[in-house]
Amino acid sequence: MQELVNLATAYRPTTFSEVVGQPLAVATLKRIAHADGIACRSIFLKGSWGSGKTTMTRIFAKALNCKEFPKKDDVCNECEGCKEASQKNSSLFYEFDSSVVGNIDAIRNLQSIFESSPLGRRVMCFDEIHTASPAALNALLKTVEEGVPNTIFVFCSTEDILPTIKSRSICIDIELIPEAEIIKRVKYVAESRGIQITDAQLAVLASKSQGHMRDALSILQSFEMCGEQALKTSFSLVRGFILSALSHKKEKAEELLDEMLRFNIVDIKRSLYIFIKSLFISVQGTPEYTLLKKNIANSLFSYFFSPQASTALRDEIGIEILFRAFLEKTCK
């Protein structure tokens, strides 16, 4: 067995070519890096957790200073510029946690850094910028408007930011990663680690990660340590519950529902959506195909994707009420 490492950290992309599922973001950052001087004063990267916002920002900081980037269209990680931007105490790349430095006093304390002149093009990354106070954001806005020599500010967030900062930034949406891309990357990591995982297990893992590569690698790490238990989901229970309810097997459906409700909200919702989707791509000979041909698939879609259902799926009580109402409706 290989030495246990943090897979999400060990396999974090270090070049643009290693970034998975973000073609538009990568192309935009490359275009900015290829421009002479400072092409913009600020960039806003918006996306969910684990989607690669700060990872791409680090690669971008290297690209701004990489000697090989203009020729190779990617960072080399070997030249002085790449190495300097990769250092923990780098003068070309600063990463701030906005929940820590997001107050007016902390921003004022950064003025000495803002006023220094780097020997290269510098990136200042403020992660989770939405957690900063209004006063801190206004101070940052003033700094961005005035400009800092050879410096690009990159604001990362899972939420929207101050409209005045956003309007002065190049805005890039970081998308959830398609499951096919997650499977491909996780399979590569598994093979490089000697982890035995089947295609079916990879599909479950990708589904559980919900488009987040960091989560996918964390699940793979759990799978490496404790096997199949790490991939446990509510999908078979959701499927069994719906099929039992439609077959008027009320006691069996109630038993499955009790088991299903032990899983978290996100997993149940994901399992439900995957099951509904499976109906419309089902093949002949399966229970799902029978539901499709009887037009029950459309009825299930209408029920579980209604505005009322969307509201109910927001919390545990709502989910239980929604599924019990479905059971009563089908088992009259």
Side-chain angles (χ1 to χ4, degrees), residues 7-8 11 18 20 177-224 231:
L7 298 185
Y11 289 89
E18 292 176 351
V20 174
I177 302 171
E179 288 187 5
E181 294 288 343
I182 286 180
I183 290 172
K184 183 178 178 181
R185 178 64 176 172
V186 171
K187 187 174 184 178
Y188 162 78
V189 173
E191 288 175 350
S192 69
R193 293 280 299 170
I195 302 172
Q196 300 297 316
I197 185 168
T198 67
D199 289 345
Q201 289 170 330
L202 282 169
V204 173
L205 185 153
S207 174
K208 282 178 68 69
S209 71
Q210 299 181 70
H212 305 109
M213 186 60 72
R214 187 169 65 201
D215 286 2
L217 293 177
S218 294
I219 296 170
L220 179 63
Q221 180 134 45
S222 296
F223 179 82
E224 182 181 25
L231 302 180

Side-chain angles (χ1 to χ4, degrees), residues 96-103 126-134 136-137 156-162:
F96 303 107
D97 182 344
S98 297
S99 64
V100 177
V101 302
N103 59 73
F126 285 82
D127 195 19
E128 298 303 330
I129 189 63
H130 66 275
T131 62
S133 70
L137 288 172
C156 301
S157 180
T158 55
E159 302 177 18
D160 255 330
I161 56 171
L162 194 70

